[in-house]
Each structure stands twice: as structure tokens, then as C-alpha cells.
Amino acid sequence: MKRTLLALATTLAVLASADIAAKDATAEAARIHEGALVLDTHLDTPANLRRPGWSIADDHRHEGELSQVDLPRMKAGGLDGGFWVIYTAQGARDDAGKRAARDHGLERLVSIREMLAAHASDMELALTPADAERIASAGRRVSFISMENAAPLASDPSLLEVYHRLGLRMLGITHVRNNEFGDSSTDPAGAEWNGLSPAGRALVEQANRLGIVLDASHASDAVFDQLLELSRAPIVLSHTSADAVYGHPRNIGDARIRQLAAKGGVIHVNAYGGYLVDIPKVPEREAALEALSEKFGPEERLPASRVTAYLSERRAIEARYPVKRATFDDYMSHLLHIIRVAGVDHVGIGADWDGGGGVVGMEDVTALPRITEALLAAGYSEGDVRKIWGGNLLRVLRQVQDASDASAP
């Protein structure tokens, strides 16, 4: 009996010790996360800015996957800021389509600038790495601006200078289809330009001259290769995952990750489930979701008053036609693999929030401390974590700006 009691006491002591160690590790991770400059390179949240009744200042977690980023949740998750995205879907490439893309891009830029002006005590436009550090130190959210898909420039590439003057500091060449500037990694028609078009090569030169970071996410491997060759400063992948972990045209192979690192670039790891694991399409589900979209209209125009009804019908469809979902462990598999291949100096986070990103266990930005905790558990140091969360990004931005014509005396 005494032996049984002794064994029980020993077991309880071990469990108590393990519990204390776990709490200490969580507290240490929280301290490190709070002390780091936490930046994400791909925030698609501007898609929500024109929704009637929607404000970045309100907590929208009740909207589920419709909204993953707002000021209350940025503060709760320790997200100091990042790049707000001017995203334009690739439409027709005739004159009317180019004008529509031009107008859409400018409208989205205006909406971002309006958001910043309306919440100046909480957010501030950042143009340089020094701006980012100053803004974060003041307790405001660091607000860079990027463009995903250069389609708004197709009618007049010289508009890039206007965008730069108004805050643009990162430029993605393509989205899911080819455009006037280069090939996409996912266009069903295949390569059109075998990389960059002549206009795309000129755009690279212009971006370098202005000090705008070039982003190869969504672009074909040939575009990636040519950006590395042509750019006189490092480039980034703003939201891309590992082909070696899950083979997908949208992901990147290890050899190219090493080439990116050798040129000083950074890959920011995506949390879009369909690029992390194999999620087969269910035709009935896709058809039902398409019908739902036709009924309620585009999500980016959905009024707050209709959110409850929309989500109720959408969740009923998802329950009727369930599919596999990527998890936080899946995300970390990609992140840890990429760190091993590229090295801690060449990796960051670009989770594709409000653009389809988010996984089970990391549904919105309030869960970002989990990444810090997982990195520390994997053996990475506080200094490594600081590099991954923002240090590497700011280093590239500094190099790009230093190499630009604008930096010349």
C-alpha cells in the first residue's frame, strides 16, 4: 500500500512539474511574441473595407472566415501590422478590362488610405523600415501597402510611380492567370510569355528604380527565375508554401528556395489550406457555394445585416459536403521545412488572411502567438523568432530602398 501511495505521489509530482514547465514555456513565448515586431506580408483585409457597416475598428470574430483581421484582434494576437493588399482579380485583357482593373486598383488604394486616415491614432502608413520601427514603438499598427497582380498597371505602367508616391512598397506580378507582365503558376492555358513579358521586364526595372520590393508569389517558376536574374535587389515571396511538403504549382521547390536565399530574398509562408494539403474538389459543394454567392452577391460587398443569414447557409453547405481541412500542424510542417531549407535569415510569415488563409487551430490573427510558441518548441531562439516575424522583411525592404535610384544623393 505504501509503495502504491509513493508511486502515485511521484506521478502527481511529475505531472505537476510538467504542468509548471508548460506554463513557463507559454509565458516565455508570450513575452517573446510581445517583444517582437510581428508583421505579416499579405493582409487581404482591404476587401472588407467597402462592406456596408464594416469597420476595421470593430471586433468581427462572429463573422468567422468572412473576417480574420481587425484592430481588436490584431492587438489580441500581437500583430503589429504588415502589408495591406491592393488585390485585383484578373479580368479581360481588352481595353475595357484594363480600364476596369485600373479603376479597381485605384479604388482599393483609396480605401486603404481612407482607413488609415480614419484611424490615425491606431494605424499609420509606413514607407521605410525606420517608419515601421517608430510606428510600432508608438503603439500603432504598421501599415505598408502592396499590390497583388499588376493588372491595374496594364493600361499605363507609368501609374506605378503614382502608386509609389501614395505608399506602395511591394508589387506582385501576377495572380491565378497570366497577364500583360508575365505568366502565372496556375493558368490552365499554360505559359504565354515563358516568364516575364517585355512589359514585365520593364516593370522590374521601374520597381527597382523606385525602391519597390518585387513579389514572385503566384508567378510561374520562369518568372521567379527571371526576377532573381534581373532584379538588382533581393525579391520576396509574400505568401507561398513548400512544394516538397505538398506538391502544388502554387508552391515552390527547395532548389528555388535556396536560390532565393542565396540572393538575399525572403519567403513568407502561406496558410491557405489548399496549398498546404490535398483538398479534393467536391462538385456538389462547389455548385452549392456558387449558387450561394449568386444569391447574396460578392462577399466583399456583403452588408453586416446579412452576414448571419449568409453564414448560416454557407455552414449548412459545408456540413452537407464536408472536405478535409488543413491544420496548424500542417502549417508548421511547411514553415519548419522552409526554415531548414532557406535558413532563419530568409523566412517570414504571409498567411493570406482574409484571402483564404487560416487553418484549424489558427483561424484568425488572435492565434499568431501559437507560431512563436511552436518555433521556440522546435529549438529556435528569440533572435530567430524576431527575424522570422519582421526582421528579415525589413532587411529586404532596406536593401531594396538602398539600391533604388531614389536613394541616390
Side-chain angles (χ1 to χ4, degrees):
M1 183 65 174
K2 289 182 178 179
R3 290 181 180 177
T4 301
L5 291 173
L6 180 61
L8 179 59
T10 302
T11 300
L12 290 173
V14 169
L15 290 174
S17 176
D19 185 54
I20 291 170
K23 288 179 179 177
D24 287 346
T26 299
E28 177 67 356
R31 181 193 67 78
I32 291 171
H33 190 79
E34 184 64 26
L37 180 55
V38 176
L39 302 174
D40 187 292
T41 45
H42 202 80
L43 304 171
D44 270 314
T45 310
N48 285 325
L49 296 179
R50 293 298 191 217
R51 284 176 53 201
W54 198 94
S55 170
I56 194 73
D58 297 333
D59 190 325
H60 298 276
R61 69 187 72 200
H62 63 282
E63 293 190 344
E65 60 272 23
L66 268 181
S67 174
Q68 298 167 307
V69 181
D70 48 48
L71 279 170
R73 284 183 287 175
M74 291 177 78
K75 294 172 183 176
L79 178 59
D80 292 303
F83 279 82
W84 303 106
V85 180
I86 299 168
Y87 162 68
T88 304
Q90 185 59 53
R93 288 166 56 185
D94 56 16
D95 288 344
K98 291 177 183 177
R99 286 193 299 270
R102 177 200 63 193
D103 294 348
H104 179 273
L106 291 171
E107 178 187 0
R108 189 145 290 186
L109 173 62
V110 168
S111 71
I112 294 171
R113 294 296 302 253
E114 287 176 343
M115 173 188 73
L116 298 179
H119 304 283
S121 62
D122 293 305
M123 321 170 73
E124 185 179 337
L125 179 67
L127 302 176
T128 68
D131 285 343
E133 291 160 352
R134 172 184 56 79
I135 293 165
S137 294
R140 293 189 291 275
R141 301 301 117 175
V142 177
S143 300
F144 287 107
I145 300 175
S146 65
M147 180 181 288
E148 180 179 32
N149 189 11
L153 308 174
S155 65
D156 182 4
S158 70
L159 279 172
L160 185 62
E161 187 156 349
V162 175
Y163 276 99
H164 177 261
R165 289 179 182 177
L166 292 171
L168 189 77
R169 291 298 182 269
M170 184 183 293
L171 175 64
I173 304 299
T174 68
H175 192 239
V176 297
R177 296 288 186 272
N178 303 334
N179 62 18
E180 274 68 25
F181 301 105
D183 295 330
S184 168
S185 62
T186 53
D187 194 313
E192 178 179 349
W193 305 102
N194 294 317
L196 292 163
S197 70
R201 290 172 177 267
L203 196 66
V204 170
E205 183 178 351
Q206 189 180 10
N208 279 171
R209 176 176 61 79
L210 293 170
I212 295 173
V213 178
L214 288 160
D215 173 16
S217 285
H218 280 290
S220 69
D221 287 345
V223 168
F224 173 89
D225 295 342
Q226 290 163 23
L227 287 175
L228 274 188
E229 175 189 354
L230 294 172
S231 179
R232 65 191 195 207
I235 71 170
V236 301
L237 293 157
S238 69
H239 58 306
T240 293
S241 298
D243 195 65
V245 179
Y246 170 53
H248 191 289
R250 180 63 179 79
N251 293 339
I252 189 168
D254 287 357
R256 287 187 168 87
I257 293 174
R258 294 187 184 98
Q259 291 165 5
L260 177 74
K263 288 291 186 78
V266 178
I267 171 172
H268 300 84
V269 183
N270 198 347
Y272 187 97
Y275 303 147
L276 301 178
V277 297
D278 183 21
I279 303 177
K281 295 286 187 182
V282 177
E284 296 84 357
R285 176 189 171 103
E286 299 300 314
L289 290 173
E290 185 176 344
L292 183 68
S293 179
E294 291 176 1
K295 177 179 178 179
F296 283 89
E299 287 184 357
E300 64 186 57
R301 298 288 180 178
L302 185 66
S305 60
R306 304 196 72 196
V307 165
T308 300
Y310 172 79
L311 288 177
S312 176
E313 293 193 32
R314 176 169 169 166
R315 286 165 180 161
I317 292 170
E318 291 168 346
R320 193 180 315 130
Y321 306 110
V323 296
K324 179 181 180 179
R325 294 187 62 197
T327 67
F328 179 74
D329 287 344
D330 294 321
Y331 179 73
M332 288 306 302
S333 292
H334 282 261
L335 177 57
L336 294 174
H337 174 84
I338 289 171
I339 295 172
R340 287 191 293 270
V341 174
V344 294
D345 293 323
H346 303 284
V347 181
I349 306 296
D352 209 354
W353 298 116
D354 289 324
V359 294
V360 175
M362 190 174 73
E363 285 84 1
D364 66 15
V365 295
T366 62
L368 291 181
R370 288 199 68 187
I371 296 177
T372 296
E373 191 169 351
L375 289 171
L376 294 170
Y380 293 99
S381 69
E382 178 174 352
D384 296 336
V385 170
R386 286 175 175 268
K387 289 179 181 180
I388 291 165
W389 270 124
N392 295 332
L393 169 65
L394 295 187
R395 186 259 305 162
V396 166
L397 181 56
R398 190 175 293 112
Q399 288 180 272
V400 170
Q401 293 183 345
D402 287 348
S404 71
D405 293 353
S407 69

